[in-house]
Amino acid sequence: MKVLITGCNGQVGSCLTERLIAEAEVLALDSKRLDITDREAVFSIVSEFKPNYIINAAAYTAVDRAEQEIELSYAVNRNGPLNLAQVAKEIGAVLLHISTDYVFDGDGGNPYKESDKTGPKSVYGQSKLAGERAIAEACPKYLILRTAWVFGEHGTNFVKTMLRVAESRDELSIVGDQFGGPTYAGDVAGALITMIQHVEQGKDTKWGVYHFSGMPYASWFGFASAIFTAAEQQQVLAKIPTLSSIPTSAYPTPAKRPANSRLDCFKIEKQFGIKPSDWLTALNNIQAYK
């Protein structure tokens, strides 16, 4: 089995590379070794390696900056996946791609199913949705994994930010009216690998979009509270800041965040036997995120 991973230094890409290296022939590439927006480079490298599976963990994820860097956001989040989808079709490979809860407007009252209407409010979300559509049109064998609120040992994320600011702040105000499912990056990698194994074993695979995120659902305030509870129990921080919950309106950002980022993960469990990310357990080793 040959697997090509893009964005190999990111939160999920790092986990994928670490786990797959023992069971497959892996070509792990960061943006310096492969710019997915460069169609000629994509076709050259992928055609030479001839992977059975391509996992696209590369993305433009600067949500607020995307409101100004629109062209770059679309280049990485739409054009890049399109290039990978086209070459995957050409060589007969399966393309696995990571997408986001931001493809929804976040106004709904229930967890979002894959079949629910999309309506991104930010450039980031719009570019990611454009990438999904480009893949679906260009590649017959694709698995798109929408996830949310990802954190892990690598890269930058909410857990790392909370632990860092706690060292210099006695009080923190955290948004309490946005809800989602915190998701451990290692579990996202695990879900993608399980999907590959499912295909590799010749089991019936329904191509398309799947949701995968953590349970239980929480607000950013609730997520922060859990982080500091774990940090206190594991004696990772000398002191724990006092938290206060604030509305989104009190913390304006250039890009609009979905108020409801909860994803319904029933479909992926039914098809692949993949259960939601147990993010609370992932905080048991909170020292790893410092």
Side-chain angles (χ1 to χ4, degrees):
M1 183 172 71
K2 299 174 74 173
V3 183
L4 185 145
I5 302 169
T6 64
C8 70
N9 290 336
Q11 292 197 85
V12 177
S14 296
C15 295
L16 281 167
T17 303
E18 291 169 0
R19 297 187 184 192
L20 280 171
I21 208 79
E23 55 185 279
E25 184 179 348
V26 175
L27 179 59
L29 303 170
D30 60 15
S31 59
K32 293 179 180 178
R33 294 185 63 195
L34 178 60
D35 175 0
I36 63 171
T37 69
D38 184 338
R39 189 175 189 276
E40 185 176 337
V42 167
F43 270 74
S44 175
I45 291 175
V46 176
S47 297
E48 181 179 352
F49 183 60
K50 292 184 174 60
N52 308 105
Y53 302 91
I54 300 170
I55 307 178
N56 182 35
Y60 179 101
T61 57
V63 176
D64 288 323
R65 202 161 66 237
E67 296 298 311
Q68 283 74 46
E69 297 183 341
I70 299 172
E71 187 174 337
L72 179 59
S73 182
Y74 272 86
V76 178
N77 292 340
R78 178 193 61 195
N79 302 352
L82 175 59
N83 292 336
L84 293 168
Q86 289 175 337
V87 75
K89 179 182 179 181
E90 185 173 284
I91 67 172
V94 174
L95 175 61
L96 297 96
H97 173 75
I98 302 170
S99 193
T100 175
D101 55 295
Y102 278 65
V103 300
F104 297 108
D105 59 20
D107 296 335
N110 298 313
Y112 283 100
K113 298 180 179 180
E114 291 84 351
S115 57
D116 285 338
K117 182 181 178 181
T118 53
K121 291 183 175 181
S122 65
V123 169
Y124 167 69
Q126 292 159 4
S127 66
K128 291 294 287 184
L129 180 59
E132 289 188 10
R133 290 173 173 170
I135 289 170
E137 292 174 5
C139 182
K141 295 188 293 184
Y142 71 92
L143 295 167
I144 293 172
L145 193 71
R146 289 179 184 150
T147 189
W149 296 21
V150 178
F151 70 94
E153 297 88 348
H154 308 281
T156 58
N157 55 67
F158 186 72
V159 176
K160 288 189 174 186
T161 298
M162 289 298 99
L163 294 176
R164 186 184 73 251
V165 299
E167 294 178 345
S168 59
R169 302 275 294 277
D170 295 323
E171 298 180 1
L172 289 173
S173 297
I174 309 293
V175 171
D177 58 358
Q178 295 174 19
F179 295 86
T183 312
Y184 174 52
D187 291 339
V188 179
L192 291 164
I193 292 170
T194 297
M195 295 169 100
I196 286 176
Q197 292 170 339
H198 185 99
V199 177
E200 192 69 8
Q201 291 165 7
K203 296 179 181 178
D204 178 50
T205 302
K206 294 179 174 62
W207 309 111
V209 178
Y210 291 86
H211 287 174
F212 176 76
S213 65
M215 289 290 287
Y217 300 125
S219 66
W220 287 112
F221 174 80
F223 189 13
S225 298
I227 292 166
F228 290 126
T229 295
E232 187 171 38
Q233 291 173 344
Q234 297 168 49
Q235 299 180 329
V236 168
L237 294 175
K239 58 182 179 62
I240 303 299
T242 301
L243 298 183
S244 60
S245 177
I246 60 171
T248 299
S249 57
Y251 188 72
T253 55
K256 290 185 178 179
R257 267 68 173 172
N260 176 19
S261 282
R262 295 175 299 158
L263 298 177
D264 184 311
C265 301
F266 175 77
K267 181 182 175 183
I268 196 170
E269 184 168 357
K270 181 180 180 182
Q271 171 68 18
F272 296 101
I274 297 170
K275 295 186 180 298
S277 173
D278 183 357
W279 62 273
L280 285 168
T281 295
L283 292 179
N284 285 344
N285 184 25
I286 204 159
Q287 179 65 45
Y289 310 114
K290 288 208 71 179

